Amino acid sequence: MNDQTDVAGYMEPGGKNVTLIYILYLVSIIVGITSIIGVIFAYLNKGKAAEWVDSHYIYQIRTFWIGFLFSIIGIVLMFVFIGIFVLLATLVWAIIRCIKGLQLAARSEEIPNPRTWLF
């Protein structure tokens, strides 16, 4: 029965859910589709938890959409051979944002500026 409540904790708004979304984003580097699941969780839970948690949801939603935008730009630019650099920069950017978010979530701290385009 305790295992069931542990799993439920990851689905409800809060620190565990925020951590799960960052992990889904990182797994999407290999699997691809898990970031879509993560952004759905972020949208569903935004506004339902503490302020520090909401800052992570905003940050995660923006990480998804900004990463998606620059991935599309990188794919289009593959035709002029600079797209690979855009895609690599986007990958490094997303990994840094996820690691920063995981570190702050582990300390139950909010993202200082969740609407930033940088880190």
Side-chain angles (χ1 to χ4, degrees):
M1 186 76 172
N2 192 18
D3 291 337
Q4 202 170 28
T5 57
D6 285 345
V7 171
Y10 284 98
M11 300 302 167
E12 297 171 0
K16 285 184 177 183
N17 184 253
V18 164
T19 301
L20 174 66
I21 294 169
Y22 285 122
I23 291 169
L24 287 171
Y25 282 6
L26 290 171
V27 169
S28 75
I29 295 167
I30 306 295
V31 178
I33 197 160
T34 59
S35 63
I36 295 170
I37 297 166
V39 78
I40 290 170
F41 277 145
Y43 272 117
L44 289 174
N45 293 324
K46 186 176 129 188
K48 297 181 181 176
E51 188 175 326
W52 75 268
V53 175
D54 264 356
S55 73
H56 283 273
Y57 288 138
I58 293 167
Y59 190 72
Q60 291 167 334
I61 290 168
R62 290 183 58 81
T63 299
F64 176 83
W65 287 114
I66 295 168
F68 181 76
L69 171 69
F70 280 99
S71 295
I72 297 299
I73 291 170
I75 290 168
V76 170
L77 291 176
M78 290 290 277
F79 296 108
V80 291
F81 304 109
I82 61 169
I84 190 71
F85 299 112
V86 174
L87 291 173
L88 284 172
T90 303
L91 176 66
V92 170
W93 171 86
I95 291 171
I96 291 171
R97 281 179 69 104
C98 287
I99 291 171
K100 175 187 174 185
L102 280 168
Q103 290 174 339
L104 291 172
R107 296 189 304 257
S108 299
E109 294 179 13
E110 68 180 335
I111 300 290
N113 182 8
R115 299 191 191 288
T116 185
W117 280 65
L118 298 176
F119 312 110

